[in-house]
Structure formats: structure tokens, C-alpha cells
Amino acid sequence: MAIDSRNFQAPKGTRDFYPQDMAVRRYIENVWRTTSINHGFDEVEGPMFEDLDLYTHKSGPGIVSELFQVFSGKDKAEIEQIQKTGQAPFALRPEFTPTLARMVAAKAAELPRPIKWFAIPQHFRAERPQRGRLREFLQWNVDFIGDDSPKADAEVIATAVVALKSLGLGPNSVRVKVSHRHAVAALLRKAGVIEENLQVAMELLDRRNRMSALDVQSHASTIGLDIHSFDRMAQDAVLLRGSTLGGVKILRNQVHELVGDIYLVLDLKEELRTLGVADWCDWDFSIVRGLAYYTGTVFEIHEASGAERAIAGGGRYDNLIESFGGPKLPACGFGMGDVVLGLVLKDNLLLNPEKCTKRPHAFVISAGQDAADAELPGLVASLRRAGFHVRHSYKASRDIGKQLAEARKCFAIAAVILGDKLEDRLVEFKDLDAQSQETIAIDAISVKLKEVIRRNDDSK
Amino acid sequence: MAIDSRNFQAPKGTRDFYPQDMAVRRYIENVWRTTSINHGFDEVEGPMFEDLDLYTHKSGPGIVSELFQVFSGKDKAEIEQIQKTGQAPFALRPEFTPTLARMVAAKAAELPRPIKWFAIPQHFRAERPQRGRLREFLQWNVDFIGDDSPKADAEVIATAVVALKSLGLGPNSVRVKVSHRHAVAALLRKAGVIEENLQVAMELLDRRNRMSALDVQSHASTIGLDIHSFDRMAQDAVLLRGSTLGGVKILRNQVHELVGDIYLVLDLKEELRTLGVADWCDWDFSIVRGLAYYTGTVFEIHEASGAERAIAGGGRYDNLIESFGGPKLPACGFGMGDVVLGLVLKDNLLLNPEKCTKRPHAFVISAGQDAADAELPGLVASLRRAGFHVRHSYKASRDIGKQLAEARKCFAIAAVILGDKLEDRLVEFKDLDAQSQETIAIDAISVKLKEVIRRNDDSK
């Protein structure tokens, strides 16, 4: 048969995950998942695509050009709709919050409260790919719904921090910048912005690092915002950063003077201290988050040097569930993407292969005798059926040293060598971490493996 | 602010995974992943959408109407293309094999051989949703590339079987039906089909269970296929099913007579025996698999009663990598979807909540004293920071019995009760499986938890 051969590539801004890339991805996902579960969040998922209206309902028609649109090739009506309107019925999800709000709204009456959910969905944005920003990415979402207290804000932030800590990062390498929409609004009012322009001013603050100083200045003046005065006040407010618990009373007055009644901000600080993560957090009242639906606390997590885009962002969105047909339910949460986080972990040398790889429990070696070659496949299969991760060489060489090198290369915990003693049903068992070796009965391999695996688990 | 409230639903044929649904999904995925890794396969992933051409290249233009098509809303040219041609540049992946072939072809020179990969991607098909078939589903893919021997076929089949066994199924509830394209072709030739009609005849065999007997008969006669004669021969061939190893020689003659030189089939049988899964497998030469790219062994896994669609299907595809611009590399693999498997597990009562849930290590209870209430959040947070899965009640009640009931409901392994003895830094520690209780120092909780968790792991 003649082969009609052709080369294809992955679409622009998407990724192929070869085994080493996938090991890193699963390692990060596992830390996200375990941390969420440890903090009492339950995992949820939704469809990869949703009604396009779900996104315009939340973000306005402007979002359409940022979306990948989807239609069924089977349905003539859908194709005709696009031909007529230029718009498809579905969109690949650009974020998880609308799906979450829809799911909560649909079952609000029967779900136990509070609703503590996490998800690790893939997202899609029709943007120009650049460093830290792709067209397809993973995003860890953590949401605490049904609690309007700073306790919930703090728990959500603590969950993010504990995951970053588990990944090897520390408060010197990443910082949580905490702000509050009320505080930012108060500062903006003091800097000359009238009520109707507050939302526009917040959007300007959110985008300012991607604009020239001149553009910021010019946009600011059109809405009456004295940007220098704002920055001066925000910097003063940031003095809160270093506050100790004893200093809270003084700060309370200072803050009250600056930005009005924002006791929530100080309560949040105390909650963060209770949860043991206050040393990762700074106040930064120039943080507003772009999305219009945030209503209170907002925060971003950045690499300490500020070199990369935000690692994570989130906040309180107390009106969103209601806007998707649900009851009025206070909520807060965050999203953390895999792209920027991956860059930060790589820059901090925190992604070594051994840590990300699932270590084989045993690497089975034939010393080359016919009996050993014949025994190997059945032994490997029986150990796998018993639940062990077992590998062996596919190379022609029966050189024991070369096979042991292969075992070490894939980080095997133990090696089992089938050789001359096989006629007495004996094998060599080599603990590759302890570098010890002993002759054991072939039937004792399982028990021996469990011992070595347990020792390995304990030493973590 | 007036809320513009609106109800939305998940698109037809897609699923919302609430916590209990997601627990089941992750349980199945974990068994798939662990079994793959134990068998020496490495995980890979690709983009959620690919160039639409990738699929028409492999399956012909007919596939377009089965696809969800994708385009960027940012790119005017893409919208104009659809308006002109009715066809978008990208498609949501309906299967993983084209992505796999593309990825192997792109790095064929540098990848170590054999290439043993697995993936658990989501797939999308623009079909009418029905029992066992949705528009969005998960599919476990296992592929063994670079080995043309029956050993590879057998290892791939064994990997599927071991996963089903881990999920609680046995050879009485599911059967692997093994066939070989050469054998089916030989039987079809004997039943009157000429060479040019073989592919059409195989497609007919693949679709026959979804057609009326009359339609099958009528299509068969147009290609000269004596369907009754074929069935009789296929049934005779199926007598291989009960063969013992001793009977192989007789069977070899019997098979040779029936379908020509198909020693590969019998060698496969011996390999399946070596890997300890022969008792799950039957020969069934009416199995052909619909896709044109299979070249040798093909197999399907069915619920024993035959009531559901196939749980899995796969086979050998020795020309596919080459057709995607790679070298000529023999390959075999299978796909197993989550929808039919989920139905079969449910019907067999194999999805109880306790098995699918991540059990909390500790449920922390306040007996209601102010000191206990004050201690709880910090204790919970410190245990979580130490890597434990910790929950507590969000209810107002401080009744210990009610809180213990809540602990048992979420399958917590232990309960920690903060009460009167807190002033001496003592707590009650309750092992909820062993139903034993003791008073311990608050600082000893971690050590005690590790003991109880280990006991729990050992009893699995």
C-alpha cells in the first residue's frame, strides 16, 4: 500500500507534552490536588466548551474576540448561524468561574454549605502567544462559596500558599499581594475620581503595567484621576506591610484615615496570621484585578522580583452566583495557571526529573541464561498484577552492569537479577538506594519490595 | 447594583462533574494511570484541538460531520474561511491516535525505543448522545510502538485487563474478544468476497450489530459475501476459545485449514498465557474494528452479557506513524472510554462512595469551650501545612456526637476532640476504624496520625 505521508504540527500556542513534560505537569497537578483536598475542598469539573452566551453574559460582548469558538460539523443550522452572524453557538472555556457559577446555581438548594470546590481545568484564549501566556493552559481554581467572612478569604489564600510551599517555593521567592476593592475605591475617590468613573479607573490600574507612563497619565486625566497622588497614598497604605499584631491598633487608625472603614482588611491580616501564612503576604492597594465582578478582597501572587506575570490572582465575588440564576451567595476564590508557575519553578531549579518521575519499584534483569530469559516476562507480569511498578531492559545486551545503569537512570528503587541460582528458585535482590544486595527466594520478591518501598516512603 | 440574572445549562452531550461524580472519575483515572505506569508506559498529552486536516488525512473527508470544529474569534480570516467553505481550521480531537502519530513522527529520531506511551485525553464527537455514547468523554489510550511481535499485542491487552481487575471486574463479567485482520480476511475470502471488497466487507462486519438483519443481508450480497457461510466459519474458528496449551498443535492445524497462515494468532495466545490474562480472552473472528488503519491483531473488550457497547477496542496499526511523516514503525494500542466502563462498574456495584473518596486523615472537633473554638483554626491549618487531609464541621452545633457523625459520614480515619483538657495541652484522639480513643498531647497529633494512616494503608 502506498503511504500518503504528511507532516503536521501542534496548533500555535498549544503544547505537546512528551513524557518528561507530562511528568512535570502531573507533578504540579498532584501538588495542587493534594493541597486542595487537604484543605477540605472537593474536586469538580465541567464541559470543555460552553454556550458562548455564558461568557458574554459575564464579561460583555467584547470577550468574543478573545475566545475560540466551537460548532458541530453535523448541524447545518450551526454552520448557517456562523455564516450569517460570524458567531458560533459554543466557546472553549477561557476561565472556570462561569461554569462554576452555573453549576452552583443549578443545584444551590441541595448542595451542603459552605461549598468548597476546586478544579484543574484546561482553558483556551485566542491571544497572541508570548512568555507566560499560551492559547491553551491549565488553571487551578479554588473557590469557597457561602461564607462572607475574612476567614474564607484567608483560607483560600492559605491554600495557594501551602501549594507553593509544597512545590519548594518560599516567602523570599514569591509574595502574595493583598488588596481590597473598597480600599482601592476610597483611594481613587481621594485622588479625584467620581463614582461613575471608578470601574474605568480600576481597569486602568489593572492594565497600567502593560502601558506607557504617558498613556497611563493621559487616560488618568480624562477621568479626573491624579495618578501621582493615588500612588503616594497607595504607597503610604502599603506601610501596613510590615505590621506586627501589636501594631494593628495604630494601623487601624492610619488605615481609617487613609481609606475609610476597611476593618475587613485588618481582620483578614489576623486570619492570615492564624493560618500561618501572614509572612508570605503584603498589602498592596494598587492591586485591583481586571474583572468587573470582584466585590471585596482581591489578591495576586507574584514572583518576588516581579519579573514574570502574576502566578495567581483571585478575590471575592459576592454577586456572581446570583447573576447566573442562583441565590445570593458570597464567594471567593483564585486561579493559578501552569505556564507562569512552570517558569518560576524552573527558574528556581525546583523541577528536577527524579522529583517529578514515578520511580519504578523494581527493575528486573536477566543475566542472560535461557532459563532467566524465559522466566522474566512471567515474573514481570505477576509483579505488575500484584500492583508493583516494574520495568526491564528492552536492549539486546544481557550485561548486568549495563542493565543496572538503566535501572538507576529511571530511578528504580530495587533491582531483581535472574541468574544461575534460578534453578533453586533464588534471585539477587538489590536495594538501589541502600546499595545493599542479598539472595532471596523468587516467591519472596513481593514482601521484600514492600519493605523497601516503605523505607523509601518513610525517608521522604 | 441590579443583577442581570440568567439560567444556563451544560451543552447537550456534555457533563457537569459535581464532587461525587468527580470522585468516581478520578478513581477510574487513577486506576488507568497507575496500571499504565506499573506496566512501564509513560504518560503523554497533546492539544485539545488540532488542525482539522489531521483528521481528514487519517479518516477521509467523511469525518468532518462527526467533528466539533474550532476557530479563533480574533482572526477575521478564519471566520471568512468558514463563511466561504463551511469548514473551520481546527477540530476538537475525536480520538488520540492522530496526535500520537504526529508526536512520534516529529521526534522519531530521538525517542528511545520501544516507545511505550499512555494518555487519558478528553475527546469530542458531534454525534447524537445515547446510552454509552456522549459528545464529550474521556478515553484511556495505551500504545506500544516499535515492536511488531505478539509480545507487544499481549502486553497491551494485559494492561487493559489488569486495570479492569483493579477496578473489581473479573473474567466472568468482562471478556476480551481477540481477532486478527488476516484471519478475518481469509474467512471473508472463503465466504466469497474478492480482494477489492475486503475493506467494505470489514466495515459491514463492524457495523452489523447496529443494523437490521435484512440490511446486513442486502449489503452483504452486493459485495458477494455469503454472510451465513462467514458466520459458520467464524463460529468454528471461535472453538479456539477453550484451547489448552496442549491443544495448540491440533488447533494450529485447524486454524491453518480455516484461515491460512495465522501463526501470529496462536503465538499471541501463548503470550497472553505467559502474562497471566489468557483466561479473560476469547477468539472471535467476527471482530474487525471499523477503522481502516488496523493491520493485524484487533480486539474489543465487552461486558460478558454483551448488553453494552464495547468497553475498549484496539489493535495493531503498523503503517500509521509512517503516514504522518515518521519512519515505518510497527505499533499497537487500545482506547478505553469512561462512559461505557462507568455503566458496567455501576451495574456491577463497584463504585461505592468510600472507595472513590479521599478519606480525611483527621476530623477536628471543638467541644464548645471558648479555648477549644479559638484553638481549632490554627491547629487545623498547622496539620494541613504538615501535609494532612483535615476537615472540621461548619455547623453551629458543638455537640460532639453530631460532629463525630459528620466525621464518619466523610469517612475520616481519625477524630481529634478539643475540650476541657486543652489547658494542659491535651486532646482526645479517636481512631474511627478501630473505635479506640486515648488522651494525647496536642503536639503528638502528627505522630499519632501517621501511625493510624499507616495501619489503614496496610489493611488495604
Side-chain angles (χ1 to χ4, degrees), chain B residues 157-409:
Chain B
I157 291 172
T159 305
V161 167
V162 172
L164 296 175
K165 187 163 175 280
S166 300
L167 289 164
L169 294 165
N172 293 327
S173 44
V174 294
R175 303 298 304 167
V176 185
K177 296 182 179 193
V178 187
S179 180
H180 195 290
R181 279 275 172 112
H182 295 181
V184 179
L187 290 175
L188 284 170
R189 279 190 210 99
K190 281 187 192 246
V193 179
I194 57 169
E195 217 57 30
E196 300 89 279
N197 285 338
L198 276 179
Q199 186 57 41
V200 180
M202 289 197 186
E203 280 164 25
L204 176 63
L205 289 180
D206 188 58
R207 281 185 297 125
R208 68 190 294 193
N209 292 334
R210 282 161 270 159
M211 297 166 68
S212 73
L214 207 66
D215 275 355
V216 174
Q217 177 67 60
S218 125
H219 280 80
S221 29
T222 65
I223 50 170
L225 166 60
D226 178 348
I227 191 88
H228 298 296
S229 155
F230 173 84
D231 282 343
R232 228 172 12 249
M233 286 188 290
Q235 273 153 29
D236 280 351
V238 170
L239 290 179
L240 286 164
R241 171 188 305 209
S243 67
T244 59
L245 198 53
V248 162
K249 204 171 167 189
I250 306 160
L251 283 165
R252 198 180 289 269
N253 294 333
Q254 206 182 17
V255 170
H256 188 81
E257 175 120 351
L258 267 168
V259 295
D261 181 19
I262 54 155
Y263 66 92
L264 282 175
V265 176
L266 293 169
D267 284 354
L268 175 56
K269 176 107 187 177
E270 288 173 50
E271 295 296 341
L272 291 169
R273 198 183 305 277
T274 301
L275 302 189
V277 297
D279 56 328
W280 294 65
C281 302
D282 304 314
W283 297 113
D284 184 341
F285 294 113
S286 70
I287 297 289
V288 291
R289 303 293 299 150
L291 296 165
Y293 59 76
Y294 286 115
T295 52
T297 301
V298 285
F299 67 95
E300 287 182 359
I301 306 181
H302 285 263
E303 197 217 6
S305 77
E308 305 285 356
R309 286 163 183 278
I311 295 170
R316 182 160 280 287
Y317 53 97
D318 286 345
N319 300 322
L320 198 69
I321 308 292
E322 194 182 3
S323 84
F324 281 90
K328 180 150 181 56
L329 271 178
C332 63
F334 70 83
M336 182 186 293
D338 73 324
V339 182
V340 175
L341 177 63
L343 294 171
V344 171
L345 292 173
K346 204 174 161 202
D347 289 347
N348 283 274
L349 309 176
L350 291 168
L351 294 175
N352 73 68
E354 184 171 357
K355 188 158 63 178
C356 298
T357 304
K358 295 274 179 194
R359 300 182 67 181
H361 300 127
F363 195 95
V364 181
I365 290 170
S366 161
Q369 301 86 342
D370 286 347
D373 279 354
E375 186 80 31
L376 188 137
L379 174 65
V380 166
S382 74
L383 291 172
R384 286 171 173 170
R385 284 201 309 279
F388 295 106
H389 176 187
V390 184
R391 301 211 170 200
H392 60 90
S393 179
Y394 283 97
K395 299 196 174 117
S397 166
R398 289 292 178 271
D399 182 285
I400 294 177
K402 281 187 185 164
Q403 292 184 79
L404 281 172
E406 208 179 330
R408 287 200 184 87
K409 205 177 155 199

Side-chain angles (χ1 to χ4, degrees), chain A residues 4 16-18 26 37 42-43 45 67 69 71 73 102-103 116 275 385 389 394 454 458, chain B residues 16-18 26 37 43 45 57 67 69 71 73 102-103 116 275 385 389 391 394 454 458:
Chain A
D4 167 28
D16 287 333
F17 289 86
Y18 285 87
R26 288 297 181 206
I37 291 170
D42 293 320
E43 191 168 9
E45 243 292 18
L67 299 175
Q69 299 183 40
F71 63 98
R102 177 178 68 64
M103 285 175 64
K116 290 177 66 181
L275 301 190
R385 285 200 309 278
H389 175 187
Y394 283 96
R454 154 153 311 176
D458 286 348
Chain B
D16 287 335
F17 289 85
Y18 285 86
R26 288 296 181 206
I37 292 170
E43 191 167 10
E45 244 291 19
H57 177 68
L67 298 174
Q69 298 182 41
F71 63 97
R102 177 178 68 65
M103 286 174 65
K116 290 177 66 179
L275 302 189
R385 284 201 309 279
H389 176 187
R391 301 211 170 200
Y394 283 97
R454 153 149 314 174
D458 287 347

Side-chain angles (χ1 to χ4, degrees), chain A residues 1 3-11 14-19 22 25-26 33 37-51 53-54 57 64-74 79 82-86 88 90 92 102-104 106-107 111 113-114 116-117 122 124 126-127 135-136 144 155 162 165 274-277 319 322-325 358 361 377-378 381 384-385 387-392 394 454 458, chain B residues 1 3-11 14-19 22 25-26 33 37-51 53-54 57 64-74 79 82-86 88 90 92 102-104 106-107 111 113-114 116-117 122 124 126-127 135-136 144 155 162 165 274-277 319 322-326 358 361 377-378 381 384-385 387-392 394 454 458:
Chain A
M1 188 175 86
I3 307 276
D4 167 28
S5 173
R6 197 178 142 184
N7 281 299
F8 289 93
Q9 292 183 321
T14 69
R15 287 172 286 181
D16 287 333
F17 289 86
Y18 285 87
M22 196 62 193
R25 171 167 159 179
R26 288 297 181 206
R33 179 168 297 113
I37 291 170
N38 286 357
H39 283 76
F41 293 88
D42 293 320
E43 191 168 9
V44 296
E45 243 292 18
M48 199 65 66
F49 59 87
E50 294 267 13
D51 286 356
D53 290 354
L54 188 75
H57 176 69
V64 175
S65 69
E66 306 295 321
L67 299 175
F68 279 101
Q69 299 183 40
V70 177
F71 63 98
S72 152
K74 199 177 211 83
I79 297 174
I82 303 165
Q83 292 181 325
K84 228 179 272 170
T85 66
F90 306 111
L92 289 177
R102 177 178 68 64
M103 285 175 64
V104 171
K107 297 210 175 182
L111 291 168
R113 308 280 173 83
K116 290 177 66 181
W117 283 356
Q122 266 154 303
F124 306 86
E127 294 175 303
R135 299 186 122 193
E136 180 183 26
F144 196 134
E155 188 164 315
V162 172
K165 188 162 174 281
T274 302
L275 301 190
V277 296
N319 300 324
E322 193 180 7
S323 83
F324 282 88
K358 295 275 178 190
H361 301 126
R384 287 171 174 170
R385 285 200 309 278
F388 295 107
H389 175 187
V390 184
R391 302 214 169 198
H392 60 88
Y394 283 96
R454 154 153 311 176
D458 286 348
Chain B
M1 186 176 85
I3 306 275
D4 166 28
S5 174
R6 192 174 148 190
N7 280 301
F8 289 93
Q9 291 182 321
T14 69
R15 287 173 285 181
D16 287 335
F17 289 85
Y18 285 86
M22 196 61 192
R25 171 168 159 177
R26 288 296 181 206
R33 180 168 296 112
I37 292 170
N38 286 358
H39 284 75
F41 292 89
D42 292 321
E43 191 167 10
V44 296
E45 244 291 19
M48 200 64 68
F49 59 85
E50 295 267 13
D51 286 355
D53 291 352
L54 188 76
H57 177 68
V64 174
S65 69
E66 305 295 322
L67 298 174
F68 280 102
Q69 298 182 41
V70 177
F71 63 97
S72 152
K74 199 175 211 85
I79 298 175
I82 303 164
Q83 291 180 325
K84 227 178 274 173
T85 66
F90 306 112
L92 290 177
R102 177 178 68 65
M103 286 174 65
V104 171
K107 297 210 176 183
L111 292 167
R113 310 278 171 83
K116 290 177 66 179
W117 283 357
Q122 265 154 303
F124 307 85
E127 295 175 302
R135 298 185 126 197
E136 179 184 27
F144 196 132
E155 188 163 314
V162 172
K165 187 163 175 280
T274 301
L275 302 189
V277 297
N319 300 322
E322 194 182 3
S323 84
F324 281 90
K358 295 274 179 194
H361 300 127
R384 286 171 173 170
R385 284 201 309 279
F388 295 106
H389 176 187
V390 184
R391 301 211 170 200
H392 60 90
Y394 283 97
R454 153 149 314 174
D458 287 347

